[in-house]
Amino acid sequence: QVQLVESGGGSVQAGGSLTLSCTAFGATYSYHCTGWFRQAPGREREAVANLDSDGRNYYTDSLKGRFTIYNDGMYTINLQMNSLKPEDSAMYYCAFRRFRCGGYQTDLDDWGRGTQVTVSS
């Protein structure tokens, strides 16, 4: 089982930016899928973005253009968040599975404990 550790959360003013980082310890597989998800109080968990092991990205349509998922080193997945809005406030989770995404995935197998993002108006 892969261990996932998120970092980079915090408080930011609306319109600002944050970069979240996920380090996947033990993710030594050639084919894998990594994703960022978020959940706000009183709301269902939602997928944000996936990054396939072939480098292809998949985004939630409503966030595409503001958020970018990318590799930062072999075992690190970053989520760059720009033009943040108060409704982006949530606990953000990194997740992983031992196979390629192959397309947009709304659930994965291994999960980190999350990093909190708070956007103030």
Side-chain angles (χ1 to χ4, degrees), residues 27-79:
T28 59
Y29 310 105
S30 297
Y31 299 99
H32 58 272
C33 179
T34 306
W36 280 97
F37 300 76
R38 69 184 186 183
Q39 186 170 19
R43 298 183 62 185
E44 296 292 326
R45 187 188 70 195
E46 63 176 334
V48 174
N50 298 342
L51 178 60
D52 212 337
S53 52
D54 65 359
R56 297 185 67 179
N57 300 339
Y58 304 94
Y59 294 97
T60 297
D61 288 342
S62 62
L63 300 177
K64 190 174 183 179
R66 291 198 297 122
F67 289 12
T68 303
I69 188 169
Y70 63 97
N71 283 311
D72 184 19
M74 188 173 182
Y75 302 106
T76 301
I77 305 297
N78 283 3
L79 181 70

Side-chain angles (χ1 to χ4, degrees), residues 4 32-39 44-51 58 60 93-112:
L4 302 166
H32 58 272
C33 179
T34 306
W36 280 97
F37 300 76
R38 69 184 186 183
Q39 186 170 19
E44 296 292 326
R45 187 188 70 195
E46 63 176 334
V48 174
N50 298 342
L51 178 60
Y58 304 94
T60 297
Y93 299 91
C94 181
F96 176 94
R97 81 172 183 185
R98 188 187 169 181
F99 202 68
R100 66 183 182 91
C101 302
Y104 187 74
Q105 300 293 331
T106 59
D107 195 16
L108 299 173
D109 298 327
D110 299 308
W111 294 82

